[in-house]
Amino acid sequence: MNMSTVTAVQILLALCFINKSNMINLENLFELYIHNKKTLQTQKLPAEMFSCYTKYKESLPKGYIFAFPNSIVLKVTEACNLRCKHCFYAEQPEFYNKRSELNTTEIKELIDFLVDEINIIFLTLTGGEVFVRKDFLEILNYIKQKYIPVIIQTNGVLIDEIKAKQLGKTLNLKTDSVQISLEGADAESHNKIRGDGTFEKAINAIQLLRKNNIRVQINMTLTTVSAPKIENIFELCRNLNVNWLSIGRLEICSDKQRYLELPTEELMNYSNILLTKAKKINDIKMDYRALTLFDFLKLPEGKILLDNYINNKDIQISQNKCLTCHHHDKLTISSEGNVFFCSMDESKDAILGNLREQNFYDIWENRFNTPYFQKRDMSTTKCRNCKYIPLCNTGCMASAYKKYGDINCAAAECTYFNEYMRLKNG
């Protein structure tokens, strides 16, 4: 046996040993995944306030749509003080410019309309980085005079003691919250993604907010950088007196970000660790979005598990089931006044209209002429006879449209879709 053969055998033995020592129980992981999906709605901030609304939405008849949206995501700016490695704009730095964002007066007028005329019940304020705007606290104070619940999404770097105190006086401490982004459970991981010194500043912001009794949720993206020490996030949350945690999936926007994407087997392992640990912890609620059903379809043993689950549960899907992801009850508005179905796709094709150029009611009435408001149910979807559709509902339609140019395809993450279509048309 020559040296190259010996080396190859040694490597194979090592790999076998590693795989056995880190072997995950896919069946157990799937049970944890299902459990997390069932409890997802009750773990959103503020959970207490929206539990009854969630039950109400679940009781609506199939195909029901609201007359107007009641939840708005408002991007107050595109500008940001950081240049994160995993950002949507990482390869388009020109998008970090403020551009022609809505000014203070325009935003206040927009808030008047959203709250007083169409009666929205919830508002998320995001960016860019919201605190880059010098008038952000003025805008927030104006919003809170209308008693509308808000979530503020921020990297926390610009929050100092003065801002934290102002937020404590302005926000409703029972219904409002601030979401701070962390990219790991320690400084090394976080700073690799967001820049030197940013972890310490984000942690300081969380401490200042909690000192002022403001509800905080930590948002994290699972990547090759954050994953190795990810289970320490629970201890960090506990030390910071934070009991809400959201771990999301990495959205790849350029090939340069591929190094941040976990291979499926590693994603499964880390998901198993996190979901198992979260189930045993009562004082920290985790909203886990890093794992999807489509990840199980990438593994042969995962497919077998799903097949057995479907057969044993005898799961069926209603033929008139609506496969859109909401009941026309939410919208995203960009800093320039563009109106979108959601923040997952802000391309030109997805623009419903611009509030500076058109009346909101005209934009809203025209929504059926745009891709994301076309009919999407069991009669239109191209994977309507797929055996896995009762579990996935075809996935994100924004993802489908961005890859296939058709909302009635499966989500881009579904590796089974092309195989299914070949078998179907074969």
Side-chain angles (χ1 to χ4, degrees), residues 80-91:
C80 189
N81 56 323
L82 302 183
R83 298 294 183 267
C84 302
K85 296 292 192 298
H86 64 337
C87 180
F88 292 131
Y89 297 160
E91 295 303 307

Side-chain angles (χ1 to χ4, degrees), residues 123-398:
L123 185 63
T124 298
L125 300 172
T126 187
E129 168 52 44
V130 295
F131 286 99
V132 166
R133 283 193 70 129
K134 302 300 183 185
D135 60 353
F136 178 69
L137 288 173
E138 178 185 347
I139 291 170
L140 180 63
N141 185 60
Y142 188 80
I143 292 168
K144 292 310 301 177
Q145 288 176 19
K146 295 180 177 293
Y147 304 104
I148 186 79
V150 298
I151 284 178
I152 300 170
Q153 296 179 336
T154 173
N155 57 45
V157 170
L158 299 177
I159 296 178
D160 54 21
E161 191 165 354
I162 294 174
K163 288 189 178 72
K165 285 182 179 179
Q166 289 176 309
L167 289 169
K169 293 177 181 178
T170 304
L171 296 176
N172 184 310
L173 303 181
K174 292 185 177 180
T175 64
D176 302 336
S177 66
V178 178
Q179 297 182 356
I180 302 277
S181 299
L182 292 182
E183 301 309 329
D186 61 2
E188 182 183 7
S189 303
H190 179 89
N191 291 345
K192 280 183 180 179
I193 299 295
R194 294 187 175 260
D196 293 342
T198 56
F199 181 77
E200 292 78 6
K201 291 177 181 178
I203 294 299
N204 183 59
I206 294 171
Q207 291 171 331
L208 289 172
L209 293 170
R210 294 301 297 130
K211 181 180 177 182
N212 286 276
N213 298 314
I214 297 168
R215 297 173 61 139
V216 175
Q217 174 177 308
I218 290 176
N219 290 343
M220 183 174 295
T221 303
L222 191 63
T223 65
T224 54
V225 173
S226 64
K229 298 179 182 178
I230 193 71
E231 62 182 309
N232 295 333
I233 190 61
F234 296 102
E235 182 180 356
L236 179 62
C237 286
R238 194 170 284 119
N239 291 339
L240 293 170
N241 193 24
V242 171
N243 59 3
W244 295 93
L245 169 66
S246 176
I247 298 180
R249 189 180 185 87
L250 174 68
E251 297 292 334
I252 297 292
C253 300
S254 75
D255 288 337
K256 290 184 179 180
Q257 295 172 333
R258 291 289 174 192
Y259 77 98
L260 294 170
E261 187 176 29
L262 286 166
T264 303
E265 292 83 356
E266 290 186 35
L267 174 62
M268 290 287 187
N269 273 308
Y270 288 116
S271 297
N272 188 45
I273 291 170
L274 286 165
L275 289 168
T276 301
K277 193 161 187 174
K279 196 173 183 181
K280 297 176 182 177
I281 295 174
N282 296 321
D283 58 330
I284 299 171
K285 300 298 182 182
M286 183 178 70
D287 175 357
Y288 192 71
R289 298 170 179 268
L291 181 69
T292 72
L293 179 105
F294 302 120
D295 293 311
F296 290 90
L297 287 172
K298 293 177 183 177
L299 302 174
E301 58 269 41
K303 283 186 180 180
I304 294 172
L305 172 63
L306 296 183
D307 290 343
N308 290 338
Y309 181 82
I310 291 171
N311 293 335
N312 291 336
K313 295 287 184 178
D314 191 28
I315 299 174
Q316 296 181 348
I317 188 168
S318 171
Q319 289 304 305
N320 65 344
K321 181 178 177 62
C322 176
L323 298 175
T324 56
C325 62
H326 66 51
H327 300 276
H328 296 207
D329 58 332
K330 59 186 178 181
L331 282 178
T332 293
I333 300 175
S334 78
S335 63
E336 298 173 287
N338 289 325
V339 180
F340 297 94
F341 170 80
C342 75
S343 57
M344 288 302 296
D345 187 2
E346 296 183 15
S347 65
K348 290 183 179 179
D349 286 349
I351 297 176
L352 304 183
N354 183 277
L355 292 170
R356 281 173 165 160
E357 301 169 359
Q358 298 166 269
N359 179 283
F360 176 86
Y361 294 111
D362 292 335
I363 294 173
W364 185 243
E365 287 304 312
N366 187 52
R367 68 192 184 280
F368 293 105
N369 295 321
T370 58
Y372 291 121
F373 284 99
Q374 300 303 309
K375 186 177 181 181
R376 187 177 191 252
D377 60 22
M378 285 300 294
S379 68
T380 60
T381 181
K382 293 185 177 179
C383 44
R384 56 184 166 271
N385 295 319
C386 175
K387 57 186 174 181
Y388 302 118
I389 199 171
L391 299 177
C392 72
N393 289 331
T394 78
C396 173
M397 56 202 242

Side-chain angles (χ1 to χ4, degrees), residues 115-126:
V115 178
D116 300 337
E117 286 206 42
I118 66 172
N119 301 311
I120 66 167
I121 63 172
F122 196 72
L123 185 63
T124 298
L125 300 172
T126 187

Side-chain angles (χ1 to χ4, degrees), residues 37-50:
K37 295 291 283 186
K38 287 180 178 178
T39 59
L40 202 58
Q41 292 297 328
T42 62
Q43 294 183 359
K44 290 181 180 178
L45 279 174
E48 296 88 346
M49 180 179 178
F50 287 98

